[in-house]
Amino acid sequence: MSRIRKIRSRRVWDSRGRPTVEVEVQTETGASGRGIAPAGASRGTREAVELRDGGNRFEGRDVRAALAGIESEIAPALIGFDVFQQAAIDDALIALDGTPDKSRLGGNALIATSLAVLHAAAAESGLPLWRYLAGDRPVKLPLPQIQIFGGGAHAERRVDVQDFMVVATGARNFEEALEMTAEVYLRAGQLMRRRGAVHGVADEGGWWPVFSNNEEAMGVLVAAIESAGFIPGSDVSIALDIAASEFGKQGRYSLGLERVELDSDGLIEKLLRWLDRYPIVSIEDPLAEDDEAGLIAFTRAAGERVQIVGDDYLVTNAALVQDAARKKACNAVLIKPNQAGTVTETYRALQAAQQNGYASIVSARSGETEDVAIVHLATGWNAGQLKVGSFARSERMAKWNEGIRIETGDHPPAGFSTSALACR
Ligand code: PGA
Ligand code: ZN
């Protein structure tokens, strides 16, 4: 046991230059831990709500109210708690906030605090965070999903699909997965340059998606995989985040580039055609979060051959995961700590996934920082997969590099999750 002695908060800045919340927790022995809230751009409606000030400053995104709540309410309530009692601390945070969506004190204030407590507990025990979380269980490094082209809300809707990613399905370890992805990322850049289509990168570091339709991006992605010397579908495969809630409501989907409007069945048919034509192993939010019937239908049609990931639909919520499993919607869950708002709720969502035979992918947000906690969560909780954005920009690379440190450290995990994808 070691009591929390001090909690400090400050405003820091995320990868989009926007304000965010950092919390530092110190124990009575002087051990300390820090957590920073990330921020999404394509959020599910049932996520924990961020507390932002509104008004003119920083486009209304300042976090002074969230910091004030930490100083005046959260810190006094948590001082004296045993830092190892993560669940009790998270319960206290939830009760203190008192709202179902964490809007009073802010999901950003809560997740930064909860992560800081977790880091402080690991520091107190003298263990790397992943090892502290794993305890005696043998755990494996996660299989990465890495973005090559950004799109959707991360690229001014230049294309509809949000993430065109690769998964190094033939990699034998984490380092090799990164090595293979690095080659594909560079080759994709060369191909774009040859097309005269390099215009910088999107929010998560993927190449800016100058394409005339969504499918063209997949064609170039396959070409990049081949140009890197890999066999598409065995060495390196494709993962997509359709993020369909961004362009579809109430069963109507409007694809901006193709200027077509589809109903749920129409979009499903299109996605099934993509599955036939391209080596796709994972597809996230294929239908909008309000189109549960569509998600069930798509899972029925494709759930045996491809991983179908619920992000906006499941928002890292254990009860929603249970419910989806009952209805047979999706077969995998995206796990984003700030969607839930506390570490304990995040872990419960992951447990619900594992208990129901769903695959899980711990994920960053499009607004990120140097915080590398998610790499440790993915490893220590044995989640199987990790999604961080692209292979460029240091808020992304900090995470990939942390995975290399974990894999090549003195007492590394038991291995690498080669078969973490649903359906493989
Ligand atoms: P966000 O998107 O972090 O911008 O919400 C990430 C995702 O949809 O996976
Ligand atoms: Zn998503």
Side-chain angles (χ1 to χ4, degrees), residues 16 39-43 47 154 162-163 204 241 243 284 311-312 334 336 363-367 387:
R16 285 189 273 246
S42 77
R43 290 189 295 256
E47 293 189 18
H154 302 158
Q162 184 176 285
D163 297 311
E204 299 189 345
D241 183 359
E284 181 176 329
D311 171 15
D312 291 350
L334 208 71
K336 292 169 165 168
S363 170
R365 302 307 302 249
S366 50
K387 179 186 178 200

Side-chain angles (χ1 to χ4, degrees), residues 311-347:
D311 171 15
D312 291 350
Y313 171 57
L314 299 173
V315 293
T316 315
N317 180 304
L320 294 177
V321 174
Q322 296 284 7
D323 191 46
R326 227 171 5 250
K327 294 169 176 158
K328 297 192 169 37
C330 303
N331 57 23
V333 188
L334 208 71
I335 300 287
K336 292 169 165 168
N338 80 322
Q339 283 184 329
T342 62
V343 169
T344 304
E345 288 162 289
T346 306
Y347 186 55

Side-chain angles (χ1 to χ4, degrees), residues 83 86 113-123 129 132-133 343 373 377 381:
V83 75
Q86 183 79 41
T113 306
S114 186
L115 284 169
V117 167
L118 182 69
H119 277 290
L129 179 53
Y132 170 70
L133 292 167
V343 169
L377 300 183
W381 286 343

